[in-house]
Amino acid sequence: MIVPEYWAEARLKQRSRRRNVVVRRFGWSDDSPDAAQAHADARAQEAMERILAGEALRRREPKVPYNGAEGVPIREEIVQRRGRSIVSRNSYGALCLNTPDVLFADIDFSDRASGRLRAVVLCLLVVAAIAIGSVKQSLGWGVMATVIALMFGGALANLLYRLSVKLRGGTEKIARARIAAFVAARPDWHLRVYRTPAGLRVLVMHRRFDPTGDEVAALFKALGSDPMYARMCRRQHCFRARVSPKPWRIGIDRHMRPRPGTWPVSPERMPDRRRWIEGYERVARDHAACRFIEALGSIRTVDDEAGRVMALHDELCQAQRALPIA
């Protein structure tokens, strides 16, 4: 996991085969701006050489805070460091806890059918439409039925999914049953479960994990974690949990300034950013990011680092307080 203190960008331009090749690359460092610039220069030179040799590389890296290109670290303001963990401020102003090996997994509830279910329902409707056209011996009937299937297949899939969820007791009951089944098959594991505004969060306490490892991928799949979150854990080589409220959930409809909030921010724009953060934090202190529900499995088995991360997480989230979650 890397969340650098300093960032820089290098731009190289070179003539090749009667055309200009321009390459831009970011550099980063925890030591100094000069070290970040030297790193950017070296990365740009390497990329230029590989492109001129015929390799298909992106000419310019996207300037995004978290879900960026493979190999580019998290680009967010560091608010505090606690041991091996870093608390950063994301692009919309909330705080996030980043840890290299203490496993977090968020499970978002959804009222929409999966892509697989939607595809199955659509295929069945199209087959039915073709059958109708065949029975009626009419191309027009078949085309009309197919159009109707394409128009309403997604809505029907969502309706079937919501009915299935309701019959099984609702999204939270289903998600907690999956967590319980996961722990029952692994009695030596220790999981803490939290309620978030849109689902559940799991924190694994008994040992640490490699974000790119097979065990982590298996847990994400078994619990139904967000695929984007799973992908970013692998890319950024860390686990991550939002530990302060989303601004729009606590009545703050004005975006953090400047916008977008990709770090670093130019010095002349920092006063605007600080004013927004001060207003946000005044409101945020009366809300929790999640609420602790229960501990499951081998609850006496606690890795030392996981214990420290849990204490920091619960403190920042206000997870043990009776506050509205946002």
Side-chain angles (χ1 to χ4, degrees):
M1 177 187 77
I2 306 175
V3 188
E5 191 81 36
Y6 303 103
W7 284 86
E9 186 177 20
R11 178 182 184 274
L12 287 182
K13 180 179 179 181
Q14 190 164 328
R15 190 86 175 162
S16 175
R17 299 176 184 176
R18 299 182 180 180
R19 63 188 177 94
N20 290 324
V21 177
V22 179
V23 174
R24 295 175 184 267
R25 287 293 184 271
F26 295 115
W28 51 87
S29 171
D30 280 331
D31 297 327
S32 68
D34 289 344
Q37 187 63 59
H39 186 225
D41 294 341
R43 293 186 73 239
Q45 184 61 48
E46 179 193 13
M48 176 67 79
E49 291 171 359
R50 292 170 64 183
I51 289 171
L52 295 179
E55 195 169 340
L57 293 180
R58 179 178 287 183
R59 304 291 178 88
R60 183 172 186 172
E61 290 174 332
K63 186 178 181 181
V64 291
Y66 174 58
N67 55 338
E70 184 77 35
V72 177
I74 296 171
R75 189 180 186 123
E76 294 176 348
E77 178 188 10
I78 296 173
V79 176
Q80 61 173 298
R81 298 178 186 269
R82 290 279 192 96
R84 303 171 69 240
S85 297
I86 289 175
V87 180
S88 61
R89 191 173 302 280
N90 70 14
S91 59
Y92 55 76
L95 298 179
C96 292
L97 174 59
N98 306 276
T99 172
D101 50 15
V102 177
L103 202 171
F104 285 98
D106 276 5
I107 305 161
D108 291 336
F109 299 158
S110 174
D111 61 354
R112 294 178 60 82
S114 66
R116 177 179 296 179
L117 177 57
R118 292 165 70 91
V120 168
V121 170
L122 184 59
C123 286
L124 291 174
L125 289 177
V126 169
V127 168
I130 294 171
I132 290 172
S134 177
V135 168
K136 293 287 187 178
Q137 295 185 342
S138 168
L139 178 62
W141 271 93
V143 170
M144 183 175 67
T146 301
V147 170
I148 292 173
L150 293 173
M151 289 177 62
F152 297 103
L156 179 58
N158 288 335
L159 177 60
L160 291 173
Y161 173 75
R162 287 194 288 268
L163 288 173
S164 171
V165 167
K166 187 175 182 179
L167 289 172
R168 290 183 289 162
T171 51
E172 181 168 353
K173 183 176 180 180
I174 293 169
R176 291 181 67 171
R178 294 177 77 172
I179 296 170
F182 183 87
V183 175
R186 299 163 182 82
D188 56 326
W189 284 49
H190 173 190
L191 272 58
R192 286 172 64 86
V193 183
Y194 300 82
R195 185 66 163 88
T196 67
L200 298 175
R201 173 175 297 166
V202 170
L203 170 57
V204 183
M205 298 293 297
H206 65 285
R207 66 178 177 86
R208 285 169 276 172
F209 292 82
D210 177 358
T212 65
D214 292 340
E215 280 186 302
V216 171
L219 177 138
F220 286 158
K221 183 178 180 180
L223 301 189
S225 292
D226 175 37
M228 174 61 77
Y229 174 76
R231 183 160 58 251
M232 294 316 302
C233 286
R234 291 193 301 271
R235 277 189 173 186
Q236 303 290 1
H237 299 275
C238 75
F239 301 102
R240 180 172 168 96
R242 179 177 57 81
V243 292
S244 72
K246 290 184 175 180
W248 54 90
R249 288 179 177 159
I250 58 174
I252 297 177
D253 54 8
R254 182 173 179 266
H255 293 284
M256 183 169 64
R257 295 293 189 266
R259 189 182 183 198
T262 308
W263 192 255
V265 173
S266 60
E268 62 270 18
R269 302 303 304 274
M270 281 300 293
D272 286 344
R273 181 182 173 95
R274 293 193 189 101
R275 279 193 292 271
W276 187 94
I277 291 171
E278 288 170 1
Y280 164 78
E281 290 183 341
R282 279 195 299 271
V283 182
R285 66 170 63 102
D286 295 326
H287 299 79
C290 64
R291 181 177 300 115
F292 174 69
I293 298 175
E294 63 179 339
L296 299 173
S298 181
I299 63 174
R300 295 185 182 277
T301 307
V302 179
D303 175 83
D304 289 344
E305 179 63 17
R308 286 188 286 269
V309 169
M310 180 271 289
L312 176 59
H313 169 268
D314 286 13
E315 171 195 336
L316 294 174
C317 288
Q318 306 194 86
Q320 305 284 355
R321 299 185 62 191
L323 295 172
I325 54 177

